[in-house]
């Protein structure tokens, strides 16, 4: 590796914070408010390392024709949203081959049972196999299925790979949502187990990054649940003005309040939540008051919501389009990021190999 590119020395004094997003499509408002906008704030105060998780994407989206383009899109969206490669390390997971080797080595200390009991594995396995049952005995259904469908081993060992992403960089803080808290707890367990088995203090136990305030849950446009790619209820950062307006105007509502101060239905509360994230407080209050006195017009609310979302997303969209056509810049940023990420990863892997007795003669 060349030595002419390096992070500022002050970064070494900062706590390492790490996070990644799977390369399975464009980023949406949920990604932006739940994580990305916070990453931008964090990059100045921490040794921030953000990656595109292309290896993780292979567990559910192994299409080779889409993977490379998905990686490019997410990198462009990272940068367009405000991540600065001079402040944070930006890299692609597979550009750090040390991750794959340590993934193999850490799996030697991970039990099949504890992996099969993770909630996300059960949920994704049910979807992959078309199983509608909520039975906890999903293990028997997976092993005993006569279907040609299958659950790949990568999906089962997803928590190990996530643990390696974190431990190989010796990250102290990892911003994760509620759906990933179980995986982070497994990471801590794996770190304790490795340290105890070999009687070393190699891995710190990472904790969830507390941003302060109420956790952000960005709802979808379908009236229930959270915004997600697989649910098809997203507003993407890359959506053009016409597409975005059309999505918002089609958002699920109800027939409207029938009496003053009646409880707000979930679909309408979802719109208020989006309004609170994107609009001025007085605008939010105006529409809440209108709901309370039964004068609200959902069409007006949706037009206001679309307008305020566009103020956030259109500047990002413009920067994304410029970056998508600039392979030179993306290649340069990712090469520098990979070099920075590999510097730490190589040191950690060398320590792991030595501790486990894998040494050259």
């Amino acid at each position: 590796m060349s030595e002419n590119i390096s992070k500022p020395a002050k970064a070494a004094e900062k706590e390492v914070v790490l996070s990644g997003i799977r390369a399975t499509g464009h980023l949406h408002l949920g990604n932006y408010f739940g994580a990305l906008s916070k990453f931008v704030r964090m990059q100045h105060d921490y040794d921030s390392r953000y990656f595109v998780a292309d290896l993780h994407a292979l567990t559910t989206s192994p299409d080779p024709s889409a993977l490379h383009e998905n990686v490019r899109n997410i990198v462009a969206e990272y940068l367009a949203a405000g991540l600065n490669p001079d402040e944070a390390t930006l890299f692609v997971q597979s550009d750090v081959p040390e991750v794959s080797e340590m993934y193999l080595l850490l799996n030697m200390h991970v039990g099949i049972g504890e992996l099969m009991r993770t909630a996300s594995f059960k949920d994704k396995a049910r979807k992959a196999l078309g199983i509608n049952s909520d039975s906890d005995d999903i293990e028997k259904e997976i092993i005993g299925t006569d279907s040609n469908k299958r659950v790949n081993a990568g999906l089962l060992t997803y928590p190990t790979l996530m643990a390696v992403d974190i431990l190989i960089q010796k990250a102290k803080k990892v911003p994760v949502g509620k759906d990933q808290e179980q995986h982070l707890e497994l990471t801590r367990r794996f770190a304790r187990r490795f340290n105890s088995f070999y009687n070393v203090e190699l891995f710190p136990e990472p904790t969830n990054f507390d941003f302060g305030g109420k956790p952000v849950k960005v709802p979808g446009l379908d009236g229930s649940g959270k915004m997600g790619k697989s649910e098809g209820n997203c507003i993407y950062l890359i959506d053009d003005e016409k597409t975005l307006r059309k999505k918002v105007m089609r958002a699920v509502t109800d027939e409207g309040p029938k009496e003053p101060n009646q409880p707000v239905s979930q679909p309408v509360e979802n719109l208020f939540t989006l309004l609170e994230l994107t609009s001025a407080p007085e605008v939010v209050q105006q529409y809440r008051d209108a709901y309370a006195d039964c004068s609200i017009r959902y069409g007006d609310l949706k037009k206001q919501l679309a307008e305020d979302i566009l103020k956030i997303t259109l500047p990002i969209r413009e920067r994304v389009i410029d970056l998508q056509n600039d392979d030179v810049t993306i290649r340069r940023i990712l090469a520098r990021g990979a070099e920075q990420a590999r510097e730490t990863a190589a040191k950690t892997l060398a320590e792991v190999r030595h501790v486990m007795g894998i040494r050259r003669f």
Side-chain angles (χ1 to χ4, degrees):
M1 297 182 191
S2 65
E3 299 181 1
N4 59 334
I5 302 175
S6 60
K7 291 197 74 175
K10 63 178 181 179
E13 303 167 7
K14 297 179 180 179
E15 232 174 12
V16 175
V17 175
L18 179 120
S19 189
I21 295 178
R22 292 201 311 147
T24 55
H26 289 288
L27 302 183
H28 52 70
L29 275 188
N31 299 131
Y32 180 77
F33 286 112
L36 195 49
S37 62
K38 295 170 181 175
F39 294 171
V40 172
R41 296 202 306 269
M42 291 162 54
Q43 66 184 338
H44 307 294
D45 300 319
Y46 296 89
D47 181 354
S48 300
R49 307 181 185 193
Y50 305 123
F51 64 97
V52 181
D54 56 340
L55 299 179
H56 281 296
L58 294 174
T59 61
T60 55
S61 304
D63 180 2
S65 64
L67 184 61
H68 185 73
E69 195 62 28
N70 285 340
V71 171
R72 180 209 306 272
N73 289 338
I74 291 181
V75 172
E77 288 160 0
Y78 271 172
L79 296 168
L83 288 181
N84 182 347
D86 292 327
E87 294 277 357
T89 300
L90 307 180
F91 64 100
V92 178
Q93 187 182 29
S94 62
D95 283 344
V96 185
E98 291 83 0
V99 166
S100 297
E101 182 174 347
M102 188 167 146
Y103 171 47
L104 169 69
L105 297 177
L106 189 61
N107 264 326
M108 305 306 171
H109 292 280
V110 174
I112 293 175
E114 62 190 341
L115 294 176
M116 293 192 77
R117 286 191 292 272
T118 60
S120 63
F121 172 70
K122 291 179 181 181
D123 290 343
K124 289 178 180 177
R126 287 190 184 101
K127 287 181 181 178
L129 298 174
I131 297 171
N132 297 318
S133 167
D134 288 332
S135 167
D136 285 334
D137 204 14
I138 185 71
E139 295 92 338
K140 290 183 180 178
E141 295 186 66
I142 292 170
I143 296 171
T145 182
D146 293 326
S147 168
N148 288 327
K149 297 178 181 178
R150 61 180 173 78
V151 178
N152 68 57
L155 184 60
L156 178 65
T157 58
Y158 185 108
T160 310
L161 183 54
M162 176 174 164
V164 170
D165 290 327
I166 297 165
L167 298 178
I168 204 165
Q169 297 293 332
K170 296 192 177 178
K172 297 287 186 68
K173 289 184 168 62
V174 183
V176 296
K178 192 169 184 61
D179 57 337
Q180 292 289 324
E181 285 179 348
Q182 186 179 25
H183 288 170
L184 187 58
E185 180 53 44
L186 283 173
T187 299
R188 289 193 286 268
R189 183 192 302 176
F190 299 160
R192 286 195 299 272
R193 182 179 298 162
F194 189 95
N195 289 345
S196 175
F197 186 87
Y198 293 107
N199 193 28
V200 293
E201 293 295 328
L202 183 58
F203 297 126
E205 292 185 33
T207 58
N208 196 349
F209 190 96
D210 183 6
F211 291 108
K214 186 178 178 182
V216 176
K217 182 179 180 181
V218 181
L221 300 174
D222 55 354
S224 63
K226 70 173 186 176
M227 190 171 287
K229 298 172 188 175
S230 59
E231 286 76 16
N233 60 6
C234 293
I235 293 173
Y236 291 103
L237 301 181
I238 195 69
D239 280 343
D240 60 57
E241 186 172 346
K242 182 179 179 181
T243 299
L244 191 148
R245 290 186 191 279
K246 186 180 294 186
K247 285 182 176 182
V248 174
M249 295 307 293
R250 289 178 177 174
V252 174
T253 53
D254 57 23
E255 58 184 6
K258 299 301 181 185
E259 57 185 51
N261 299 310
Q262 77 176 49
V264 182
S265 67
Q266 188 60 58
V268 177
E269 187 59 45
N270 286 353
L271 293 184
F272 280 132
T273 298
L274 290 170
L275 206 64
E276 287 169 350
L277 288 169
T278 58
S279 305
E282 58 270 20
V283 172
V284 179
Q285 192 60 51
Q286 171 193 335
Y287 285 102
R288 285 205 177 273
D289 290 343
Y291 187 93
D293 66 18
C294 301
S295 65
I296 192 167
R297 293 164 58 95
Y298 290 147
D300 292 341
L301 185 155
K302 290 178 178 179
K303 288 176 183 176
Q304 178 73 57
L305 178 59
E307 201 66 40
D308 291 337
I309 292 174
L310 285 166
K311 289 177 184 175
I312 296 169
T313 61
L314 282 185
I316 294 175
R317 170 183 162 78
E318 290 173 7
R319 292 194 292 269
V320 169
I321 292 172
D322 287 341
L323 285 161
Q324 282 177 330
N325 297 320
D326 190 354
D327 278 352
V328 173
T329 296
I330 288 179
R331 190 180 301 116
R332 174 177 53 80
I333 289 170
L334 292 181
R336 179 171 66 173
E339 182 175 1
Q340 293 163 353
R342 290 195 69 184
E343 184 177 355
T344 302
K347 290 177 182 176
T348 304
L349 179 60
E351 292 173 317
V352 168
R353 287 171 60 94
H354 182 82
V355 165
M356 292 182 71
I358 303 172
R359 305 169 194 172
R360 289 189 173 87
F361 289 93

